[in-house]
């Protein structure tokens, strides 16, 4: 088991404290940029105080007011060009595809699955391979500031348990699911039976409950890959599992591509829409995370809003398969549907949430042109909301993470934009730049080299 960073104040049992610039979203339309802000994180990893416009001379008084002796623990003083922001939330991630990113461009979705992905994911039948690749995967996402990820595993029960273990060991907040798939995949890459699929699913749920009984970091998530890969009896069984576990999140692919949608209609001719299908099988509710959602009909959008489902917007994979697909994200936001961002990094080419935010902006420009201005492009602050608080809402974690409200858990990035000794490729910060300009430069041109520290529940987790 890899230890968390033992040099962090949190790991030593002491609180954390920061003084400097802090940036977070209060809601979709309100980005808060605070200078000279003081944040105090207690030894359980929760934000105990968050106060803007604090002079250095006032800090000891604030510390004392919260029950601590001044100077007992260090206070990190952020310099110009350094700031805190919430950790990124990846609402759609295929962990087994970590080593196939960028492979299979120009293929249709179903061809890509059959010719690239299933072959690759079948390797996870080997537990040692699974441990090695998942260790690299989780470490890689933490390095890039993804403090929370909703993971699809392979269809293998043991490998999925290993993924959960590694997330817990490395300190990443995660939803972990075993892919359910008993048809329309090769014989060597599908569940052997409905009974086996459900047995392994329940086994993973129990394993995670024993690993992390209070769900402090890791939770199980029900994961029918998509309707194409599950026959009706398996979907019925998964609906039973959902009812047995009323707090269990559910994730699947939803209206991803025309080819997939047409095949789903052939397999389930009694259902007019995918929303009808998943609702009938008990898999559509306020815990559902629906990836892609490119071609929703009016009644489906109404159903998602009514049931409070979440949409995982994956702008890179949507635009790098054979089709260039533009999801109507502005329409979902207008209706009050929860939306977060997903790397879907096997289907796309990047595991960086910074890249995903940029592509979400680009794709929204395309949507603005398609709709002749009826769907305005996303603003920079809206994209940042989707990557943080919006993603937390989609994953059902908004009461715990997503911003720096007092009482929430401290999942955060410490961003450094000025490094004279080891300059990266980020746009240089100039003397006249305000903190808002520095923030924009980071979002549009920064990378993981600018993310100096990553915290989950107050613990430093970036190696």
């Amino acid at each position: 088991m890899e230890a968390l960073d033992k040099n962090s104040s949190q790991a030593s049992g002491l609180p954390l404290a920061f003084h400097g610039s802090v940036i977070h979203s209060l809601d979709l339309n309100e980005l808060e940029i605070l200078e000279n802000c003081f944040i105090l994180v207690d030894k359980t990893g929760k934000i105990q105080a968050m106060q803007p416009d604090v002079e250095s001379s006032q800090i000891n008084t604030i510390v004392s007011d919260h029950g601590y002796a001044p100077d007992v623990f260090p206070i990190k003083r952020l310099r110009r060009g350094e700031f805190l922001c919430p950790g990124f939330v990846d609402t759609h991630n295929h962990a087994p595809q970590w080593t196939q990113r960028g492979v299979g461009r120009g293929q249709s979705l179903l061809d890509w699955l059959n010719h690239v992905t299933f072959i690759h994911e079948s390797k996870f039948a080997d537990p040692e391979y699974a441990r090695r690749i998942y260790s690299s995967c989780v470490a890689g996402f933490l390095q890039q500031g993804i403090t929370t990820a909703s993971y699809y595993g392979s269809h293998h029960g043991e490998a999925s348990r290993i993924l959960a273990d590694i997330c817990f060991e490395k300190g990443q907040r995660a939803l972990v699911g075993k892919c359910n798939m008993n048809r329309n995949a090769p014989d060597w890459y599908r569940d052997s039976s409905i009974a086996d699929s459900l047995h392994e699913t329940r086994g993973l749920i129990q394993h995670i409950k024993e690993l992390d009984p209070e769900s402090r970091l890791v939770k199980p998530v029900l994961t029918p890959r998509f309707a194409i890969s599950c026959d009706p009896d398996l979907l019925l069984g998964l609906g039973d599992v959902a009812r047995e576990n009323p707090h269990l999140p559910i994730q699947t692919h939803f209206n991803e591509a025309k080819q997939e949608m047409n095949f789903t209609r052939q397999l389930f001719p009694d259902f007019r829409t995918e929303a009808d299908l998943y609702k009938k099988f008990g898999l559509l509710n306020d815990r559902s995370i629906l990836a892609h959602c490119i071609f929703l009909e009016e009644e489906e959008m109404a159903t998602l809003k009514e049931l409070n489902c979440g949409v995982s917007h994956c702008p890179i994979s949507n635009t790098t398969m054979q089709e260039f697909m533009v999801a109507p994200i502005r329409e979902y936001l207008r209706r009050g549907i929860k939306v977060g961002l997903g790397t879907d990094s096997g289907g796309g080419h990047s595991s960086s949430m910074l890249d995903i935010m940029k592509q979400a902006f680009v794709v929204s420009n395309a949507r603005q042109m398609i709709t002749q201005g009826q769907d305005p492009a996303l603003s920079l602050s809206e994209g940042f909301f989707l990557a943080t608080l919006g993603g937390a809402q989609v994953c059902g974690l908004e009461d715990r993470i997503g911003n720096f409200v007092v009482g929430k858990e401290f999942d955060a990035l410490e961003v450094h934009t000025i490094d004279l000794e080891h300059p990266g490729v980020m746009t240089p910060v100039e003397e006249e730049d305000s903190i808002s300009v520095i923030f924009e430069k980071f979002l549009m041109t920064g990378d993981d080299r600018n993310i100096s520290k990553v915290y989950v529940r107050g613990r430093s987790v970036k190696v």
Side-chain angles (χ1 to χ4, degrees), residues 341-374:
L341 296 180
T343 59
D344 193 17
S345 53
H349 55 76
S350 176
S351 57
S352 166
M353 190 58 69
L354 290 169
D355 287 347
I356 299 297
M357 279 188 272
K358 284 179 281 212
Q359 188 71 356
F361 172 71
V362 170
V363 168
S364 71
N365 274 336
R367 181 72 186 178
Q368 178 174 265
M369 293 185 64
I370 291 170
T371 64
Q372 298 182 330
Q374 292 183 25

Side-chain angles (χ1 to χ4, degrees), residues 154-166:
S154 64
H155 88 105
H156 308 100
E158 184 175 3
S160 300
R161 295 191 292 273
I162 290 170
L163 175 58
D165 291 345
I166 289 170

Side-chain angles (χ1 to χ4, degrees), residues 279 286 299-309 337:
K279 184 178 178 181
D286 62 349
E299 64 189 76
E300 290 185 291
M301 287 187 278
T303 297
L304 264 59
K305 172 59 179 172
E306 176 190 356
L307 298 179
N308 199 26
C309 304
I337 295 172

Side-chain angles (χ1 to χ4, degrees), residues 82 121 126 224 302 341 441:
E82 300 175 355
E121 290 189 7
D126 178 355
L341 296 180
K441 286 182 174 181

Side-chain angles (χ1 to χ4, degrees), residues 405-420:
V405 170
V406 171
K408 288 192 177 185
E409 297 173 18
F410 188 69
D411 287 14
L413 312 182
E414 184 182 318
V415 178
H416 292 191
T417 63
I418 301 173
D419 186 344
L420 299 179

Side-chain angles (χ1 to χ4, degrees), residues 396-410:
L397 296 168
E398 70 274 16
D399 60 336
R400 296 174 62 181
I401 61 167
N403 58 15
F404 296 133
V405 170
V406 171
K408 288 192 177 185
E409 297 173 18
F410 188 69

